[in-house]
Amino acid sequence: MPVSSREWRLIARPVGEPTPADFELAQVQVPDPGPGQVLVRNTWLSVDPYMRGRMNDVPSYVPPFVLGEAMTGGAVGEVVASEASEVPVGTTVQHFQGWREYALVDADAVQPVDTGLAPAEAFLGVLGGTGLTAYAGLVEVAPVEDGDVVFVSGAGGAVGSIAGQIARHLGASRVIGSAGGPEKVRRLLDDFGYDAAIDYRQGDLPGQLAAAAPDGVDVYFDNVGGDHLQAAIGQMKRFGRIALCGAISGYNTTSPPPGPDNLPLAIGKRLTLRGFIVGDHVHLAPEYIQQASRWLRDGGLHAEETVVKGIEHAVDAFLSMMRGANTGKMLVQV
């Protein structure tokens, strides 16, 4: 019989920083699964920076949210009813029908996860798209070579906190991270294995980066854009590689942020700047999960999560993440 479920909807396109008034929490009835479908009780939801772009009605690599309809995003949960023999009741699955308590999903749109490797929520973070993003960026997009100096912006966030550690496993000789505030800077050094940490709130980002990497930077993993990208270009070595993963500094701007005014340096330095989307690198997932699972077991990879409990607080979790309140992956425990 149908189950009652709460779901979040976007009801207004934000201008600048989103506010709670742009969303509503609706009560709906979710029907029983039909042939080839499963009903999933979501246990964990992912909130991510890219979702801000989906709140704008503009073309992108992921379609925008539809006003008045349930929002979507990464989730894991337990199958509680099934009309698909390949996904029986009790299976823990990952899927994209987040922002709700119960999801009716086609069986071919769920991915069973092995909770023997790690807890279910890890497949939204360190063993999911978050970790794979860091891995792909440093293996294929801006490959790290033995002895490289690597700089990561947004280093205390979901992707950045993993990227610095992966860079070390790939042979980096020095890993530098940027974060906001003294507590996050401390965490980069004490918990995530960074050799040096920059507090961008202290100003003079180019000067701080030059002091941390006096001989230059080989690889820059960019989660922030803006002034961080400008500082990195200035400090890159010849033939340096830049992985353009995100530009969160400009996600809430109401007009296009200015690009780096030192971009011509990329010519003389023969830099490679490459944007990427993790969906283009899913072929790396099997090898990454195998590697990351081993690193987790032997203590070579530390995964941090900031957990907000209750679906009613999912929007609060998203808004606080956009302000940098999280360390590691931001998750909602339903």
Side-chain angles (χ1 to χ4, degrees):
M1 60 185 298
V3 296
S4 181
S5 176
R6 290 176 292 175
E7 63 182 28
W8 279 103
R9 299 171 178 174
L10 185 71
I11 59 172
R13 302 284 180 197
V15 177
E17 184 175 352
T19 71
D22 296 321
F23 308 86
E24 71 170 2
L25 185 60
Q27 192 92 28
V28 297
Q29 295 295 308
V30 182
D32 294 334
Q37 293 183 317
V38 295
L39 180 65
V40 181
R41 179 179 62 82
N42 287 334
T43 52
W44 295 90
L45 309 177
S46 177
V47 291
D48 303 282
Y50 81 90
M51 294 174 172
R52 176 60 186 89
R54 298 187 66 198
M55 296 173 190
N56 301 325
D57 190 13
V58 296
S60 184
Y61 63 92
V62 183
F65 293 125
V66 178
L67 291 181
E69 294 186 6
M71 297 163 63
T72 56
V76 292
E78 180 185 355
V79 174
V80 294
S82 174
E83 291 295 329
S85 58
E86 67 273 24
V87 189
V89 170
T91 305
T92 300
V93 296
Q94 181 179 5
H95 60 91
F96 201 63
Q97 300 298 312
W99 290 92
R100 67 198 79 189
E101 291 176 301
Y102 286 85
L104 184 64
V105 193
D106 291 340
D108 60 5
V110 304
Q111 177 66 47
V113 298
D114 183 358
T115 54
L117 291 177
E121 62 269 25
F123 291 88
L124 294 177
V126 62
L127 294 184
T130 297
L132 183 60
T133 298
Y135 187 74
L138 297 171
V139 168
E140 287 192 339
V141 180
V144 173
E145 301 173 357
D146 282 345
D148 277 349
V149 175
V150 177
F151 173 43
V152 180
S153 60
V159 174
S161 62
I162 301 298
Q165 298 176 78
I166 289 176
R168 179 78 70 207
H169 284 293
L170 295 175
S173 62
R174 183 167 175 81
V175 184
I176 303 157
S178 172
E183 177 59 19
K184 279 197 175 182
V185 164
R186 183 192 67 78
R187 297 292 304 278
L188 295 189
L189 299 172
D190 293 349
D191 298 334
F192 300 124
Y194 279 87
D195 297 295
I198 293 168
D199 183 352
Y200 67 83
R201 294 178 182 171
Q202 296 299 313
D204 187 21
L205 191 57
Q208 289 195 68
L209 181 57
D215 297 322
V217 172
D218 297 286
V219 172
Y220 172 46
F221 193 106
D222 187 20
N223 291 304
V224 176
D227 59 349
H228 281 74
L229 180 55
Q230 171 139 346
I233 289 172
Q235 201 60 21
M236 296 298 292
K237 297 180 185 179
R238 288 183 179 179
F239 302 103
R241 287 87 67 202
I242 298 177
L244 301 172
C245 177
I248 195 170
S249 65
Y251 287 173
N252 284 329
T253 57
T254 56
S255 60
D261 63 16
N262 62 347
L263 192 57
L265 289 176
I267 301 169
K269 293 186 177 187
R270 287 81 120 187
L271 303 182
T272 299
L273 292 81
R274 181 180 172 189
F276 75 105
I277 303 300
V278 68
D280 296 331
H281 301 271
V282 292
H283 60 279
L284 292 174
E287 73 175 62
Y288 170 67
I289 291 175
Q290 182 180 36
Q291 289 266 42
S293 298
R294 177 172 57 81
W295 292 335
L296 286 170
R297 286 194 303 271
D298 65 19
L301 185 59
H302 173 68
E304 185 81 11
E305 296 159 351
T306 299
V307 175
V308 173
K309 295 186 177 182
I311 192 170
E312 65 272 18
H313 298 301
V315 166
D316 297 331
F318 172 77
L319 296 178
S320 65
M321 175 207 61
M322 292 297 294
R323 300 184 191 113
N326 59 300
T327 299
K329 178 70 176 179
M330 175 65 87
L331 293 171
V332 176
Q333 185 176 17
V334 182

